[in-house]
Amino acid sequence: AILGSAGLLDTMRFSEGIQLCERALLQTPIAEVRATLENNLSCLLIRQGDESDLQRIDILTKSALRLMSVSLAVRATRGSYFLRAGRYRDAIALLDDERFVMEKAESQARVSAHLALANFRLGNTDEASSALDRAKQLYPDLDEIADVERAMRQELAPEQV
């Protein structure tokens, strides 16, 4: 279920991945496995983009982080939740972690893109620009980079566009 849900996330088959994680969580008593499934389910819910899932994502990511606080994947997911929830300082606190350089380029780029948006929304334009440039260097074809650029353009005042 862990690998299957990750594969469904990669192929953007969110509903199937959510169902797979939910079924597996009902059957899994092992805490570390549950935490990984909670993290995967959170990723799927975040990427699905339904604002009504924010409270559920909060509960899932908090639970996963409690059990696996050193996991960079769990920290990245919790940071993504904070970004979606408008808690930009909390997002930066989790995502601005030098240990992410040990992750795959795609994961590093995703974290950098999220850092860029969080910094942008706090008015830290230099940090946002630097993080976005880093994301583009690491994995230029990442969908989140285009999403972040689009969000930043839309939020600029008309006279700055």
Side-chain angles (χ1 to χ4, degrees):
I2 291 171
L3 293 176
S5 60
L8 292 168
L9 177 64
D10 287 341
T11 58
M12 300 180 74
R13 293 166 49 197
F14 306 130
S15 295
E16 291 174 65
I18 290 167
Q19 291 172 4
L20 179 62
C21 286
E22 289 172 337
R23 283 193 309 270
L25 280 167
L26 293 173
Q27 302 167 3
T28 306
I30 303 167
E32 290 80 7
V33 174
R34 287 188 64 78
T36 303
L37 287 167
E38 289 170 338
N39 190 64
N40 286 7
L41 178 55
S42 297
C43 288
L44 288 156
L45 291 167
I46 288 168
R47 294 284 299 281
Q48 182 174 261
D50 187 343
E51 294 300 315
S52 68
D53 289 326
L54 281 178
Q55 184 176 10
R56 184 176 184 202
I57 297 166
D58 181 29
I59 292 165
L60 289 165
T61 58
K62 201 180 296 181
S63 174
L65 191 62
R66 194 175 308 116
L67 284 169
M68 298 174 65
S69 61
V70 297
S71 166
L72 292 176
V74 171
R75 294 174 65 82
T77 304
R78 182 75 174 157
S80 296
Y81 156 73
F82 283 143
L83 181 62
R84 285 279 308 281
R87 296 172 56 183
Y88 307 122
R89 283 183 176 72
D90 291 330
I92 292 168
L94 277 178
L95 299 175
D96 194 12
D97 186 328
E98 291 178 8
R99 294 176 296 168
F100 280 111
V101 299
M102 297 182 288
E103 294 291 300
K104 297 183 304 184
E106 182 178 359
S107 297
Q108 288 181 56
R110 184 171 287 112
V111 166
S112 292
H114 291 172
L115 269 171
L117 188 56
N119 274 299
F120 177 80
R121 288 190 170 151
L122 288 174
N124 305 328
T125 55
D126 290 343
E127 292 89 342
S129 179
S130 176
L132 191 57
D133 288 345
R134 187 169 49 252
K136 289 177 184 177
Q137 290 171 355
L138 287 163
Y139 206 90
D141 296 330
L142 187 70
D143 290 341
E144 279 96 334
I145 294 171
D147 294 343
V148 166
E149 288 178 318
R150 189 171 25 261
M152 291 166 76
R153 276 194 309 272
Q154 289 173 347
E155 292 174 27
L156 285 173
E159 63 272 3
Q160 293 177 298
V161 174

